[in-house]
Amino acid sequence: MNFVVPDFYPAAAEIFVAVMALVIMLASTFARGIARGLAYHLTQFTLIAAAFITIFTMEGEVVYTFSNLFISDLLGDFLKLMIYFSTAIALLYGRGYLADRKLDKPEYYLLALLMTLGMMVMVTANHMLPMYIGLEMMSLALYTMVAFDRDSPRSTEAAMKYFVLGALASGLLLYGMSMVYGATGTLEFSAIAQAIYNQSANQTVLMFGLVFLVAGICFKLGVVPFHMWVPDVYQGAPTAVTLVIATAPKLAAFAMAVRLLIWALFDLAEEWQVMLMLVAVASIVLGNLAAIAQQNIKRMLAYSGISHMGFMLLGLLAGVVEGDRHFALNAYSSAMFYAVSYVIMSLASFGMLILLSRAGFEAENIDDFKGLNKRSSWYALMMLFVMFSMAGVPFFIGFFAKLSVLQAVVAAGYLWLAVVAVVMSVIGAFYYLRVVKVMYFDEPVDASPIRAPAEVRVMLSANGLAIAALGLAPQMLMSLCAYALLGSL
């Protein structure tokens, strides 16, 4: 007897998260006292349960659902699991920080779940409309989270910048989607690819649409020339919110780039490859050079993130090699491995900032790390792991992330690109090593003991050790990325 899988079965995790978000919203409205104490735990339970549901409903093959609007494949499932993981850890790190500033409210966790739901929709979309809806759900939640500290003029200013520029980017993306629809007559990714392959699309309109789509993707990744919001928002948002912005949304933006450029518009690869090449080089150069001048470590990490996203784009553009599917898989999996590695490193870096912060004090300047080794040699070691990994020092996960991307770029025949990336990485190592220098060789400005909940100390230590351990054995994570992509092609 054959069992017919219900249409909603592959989207069970999304439905569950939506229902739990509704529960928290109703509780915060009608039973605020109960919601205040349970919102965090309900959110963590939701993320863990969603992970189990995602694992349980994995098909191992590509399944289309809801009239081909959504796709269930290994790429989407793997990225959803990483989104749950990074969001749960970000909320764990940030809870004490928010409580110290009286921001630990049910609405914050509701927004976190809505953001997560938006990202889940983005990574499983097979149609431009659900892709856009997921993007807007994620973005609107993030705008509100940045402005969550209503008494902070700096947070309000950052949220306004983020909202205005984000609205502009959404407009560009939507305009690009409308042009692609006008050129091909469809918004479904596989149908768009088929129309382009059959040369039945209007090429002029399609090229304009491609330019607008790439612009929208670049804004969400925070790369040059659409990077203006990144340093201001990272600095202006509460550090707990900056941690959220710097992690899971990068995975969703990567998924959007893969679905749009590789799944739908691969036959235009020669055009978007050149665009990504210019964007990647500009991001790596500007990100590393601008970071050197920063004294605020949140701005430094923002410019560093711009550079890292430039590296990730190198992996995407290196996969455009005609007739070599195996090589393309290696290049795209290197980009995915880089994105996941960056998220793991960002969790630890901003987690350290939260660890050193306390009520009435924000640890956001490089000088705040002075003498950290004398205050806590263990956490100084964890921060050293993070900085060395971001700089690409062997043998940490960041080194192998850079190496895998550079190997793909060289194999694609772009030796000059690899040389530029290596030179800028060497220059960029300066600002990472400067943090290590002040931790180990300068006298502490603040000698107060570091206090944090036990679960934060344990998770932050595990995060730092994972960066080192995955550097010693990176093959497992690399293979997972390659397997996820292979099962989705």
Side-chain angles (χ1 to χ4, degrees):
M1 181 177 178
N2 293 326
F3 175 68
V4 179
V5 177
D7 205 33
F8 65 83
Y9 185 75
E14 285 86 344
I15 295 170
F16 175 73
V17 172
V19 169
M20 292 304 294
L22 180 62
V23 168
I24 293 177
M25 183 181 71
L26 293 174
S28 63
T29 304
F30 300 107
R32 191 162 183 82
I34 298 174
R36 188 181 294 275
L38 291 180
Y40 168 77
H41 298 289
L42 271 177
T43 303
Q44 292 288 29
F45 166 76
T46 302
L47 293 170
I48 294 168
F52 279 107
I53 292 171
T54 300
I55 293 170
F56 181 73
T57 56
M58 276 186 184
E59 298 287 339
E61 57 186 22
V62 178
V63 177
Y64 296 91
T65 187
F66 291 111
S67 302
N68 288 350
L69 289 176
F70 293 94
I71 182 172
S72 175
D73 58 5
L74 288 178
L75 173 64
D77 290 337
F78 178 76
L79 287 176
K80 281 196 287 187
L81 290 173
M82 291 306 303
I83 286 168
Y84 307 145
F85 166 77
S86 58
T87 305
I89 293 179
L91 294 178
L92 172 66
Y93 287 165
R95 189 188 183 198
Y97 177 95
L98 295 170
D100 287 342
R101 290 150 185 81
K102 296 181 173 54
L103 299 174
D104 190 27
K105 299 176 182 177
E107 291 82 4
Y108 182 83
Y109 299 107
L110 171 62
L111 289 168
L113 276 187
L114 292 175
M115 174 200 73
T116 305
L117 180 60
M119 291 187 285
M120 294 167 70
V121 171
M122 285 176 69
V123 302
T124 55
N126 185 50
H127 192 279
M128 287 192 177
L129 283 184
M131 174 73 74
Y132 183 75
I133 291 169
L135 175 67
E136 286 303 289
M137 189 181 297
M138 177 192 78
S139 299
L140 291 170
L142 287 175
Y143 303 152
T144 312
M145 291 170 80
V146 172
F148 207 73
D149 187 0
R150 293 181 296 176
D151 298 327
S152 170
R154 195 172 69 169
S155 293
T156 305
E157 180 188 351
M160 286 296 294
K161 289 178 180 177
Y162 194 15
F163 175 72
V164 171
L165 292 174
L168 175 64
S170 294
L172 292 176
L173 193 67
L174 200 57
Y175 195 46
M177 289 177 176
S178 67
M179 284 188 164
V180 171
Y181 177 73
T184 62
T186 181
L187 289 170
E188 186 184 325
F189 295 154
S190 54
I192 291 170
Q194 190 64 42
I196 297 172
Y197 179 77
N198 293 335
Q199 296 184 340
S200 59
N202 185 311
Q203 291 298 311
T204 304
V205 176
L206 197 59
M207 284 302 108
F208 275 104
L210 175 64
V211 171
F212 283 110
L213 287 178
V214 171
I217 292 169
C218 288
F219 179 88
K220 295 306 172 184
L221 286 171
V223 291
V224 177
F226 305 96
H227 67 287
M228 302 80 69
W229 62 274
V230 181
D232 289 342
V233 171
Y234 275 38
Q235 182 183 8
T239 307
V241 178
T242 306
L243 169 58
V244 172
I245 296 171
T247 49
K250 302 298 184 187
L251 297 174
F254 168 80
M256 180 170 71
V258 170
R259 300 287 191 201
L260 286 175
L261 297 181
I262 298 171
W263 264 236
L265 302 171
F266 187 77
D267 285 328
L268 301 180
E270 290 185 4
E271 286 76 20
W272 59 252
Q273 184 187 41
V274 176
M275 298 180 203
L276 293 190
M277 198 176 296
L278 295 173
V279 166
V281 171
S283 299
I284 293 171
V285 172
L286 185 140
N288 281 307
L289 293 181
I292 292 173
Q294 306 304 315
Q295 292 301 316
N296 183 291
I297 197 165
K298 287 166 75 173
R299 291 185 73 88
M300 187 198 88
L301 290 172
Y303 282 110
S304 161
I306 293 169
S307 169
H308 283 295
M309 288 300 100
F311 254 99
M312 189 271 289
L313 288 178
L314 289 181
L316 286 182
L317 68 89
V320 184
V321 177
E322 189 173 349
D324 195 336
R325 185 170 179 266
H326 178 72
F327 177 81
L329 177 66
N330 285 341
Y332 299 143
S333 63
S334 74
M336 186 171 171
F337 176 63
Y338 200 101
V340 172
S341 302
Y342 173 73
V343 167
I344 295 171
M345 293 185 291
S346 290
L347 284 168
S349 60
F350 287 104
M352 283 298 304
L353 293 184
I354 289 173
L355 181 74
L356 297 182
S357 299
R358 57 183 184 275
F361 174 73
E362 299 286 339
E364 57 179 38
N365 293 314
I366 293 175
D367 286 349
D368 294 328
F369 282 82
K370 282 186 174 180
L372 180 59
N373 184 51
K374 294 181 179 178
R375 295 175 64 193
S376 172
S377 57
W378 177 253
Y379 289 111
L381 179 65
M382 294 301 101
M383 191 62 175
L384 179 142
F385 285 174
V386 177
M387 292 295 101
F388 275 12
S389 183
M390 284 191 161
V393 174
F395 289 89
F396 295 94
I397 188 173
F399 167 76
F400 288 102
K402 282 184 166 64
L403 181 63
S404 62
V405 166
L406 291 173
Q407 285 176 331
V409 170
V410 171
Y414 299 108
L415 182 61
W416 69 272
L417 262 182
V419 170
V420 170
V422 169
V423 170
M424 295 315 302
S425 293
V426 172
I427 294 172
F430 167 78
Y431 56 86
Y432 295 118
L433 297 178
R434 182 174 57 182
V435 177
V436 176
K437 179 260 179 188
V438 301
M439 288 194 303
Y440 281 91
F441 298 106
D442 288 11
E443 290 298 318
V445 175
D446 180 8
S448 61
I450 298 173
R451 294 188 177 91
E455 61 270 21
V456 173
R457 289 172 172 268
V458 170
M459 185 55 71
L460 195 52
S461 299
N463 200 164
L465 292 173
I467 289 170
L470 287 170
L472 296 174
Q475 197 57 46
M476 180 180 69
L477 187 55
M478 286 181 176
S479 299
L480 282 173
C481 294
Y483 183 68
L485 280 163
L486 183 62
S488 306
L489 293 175

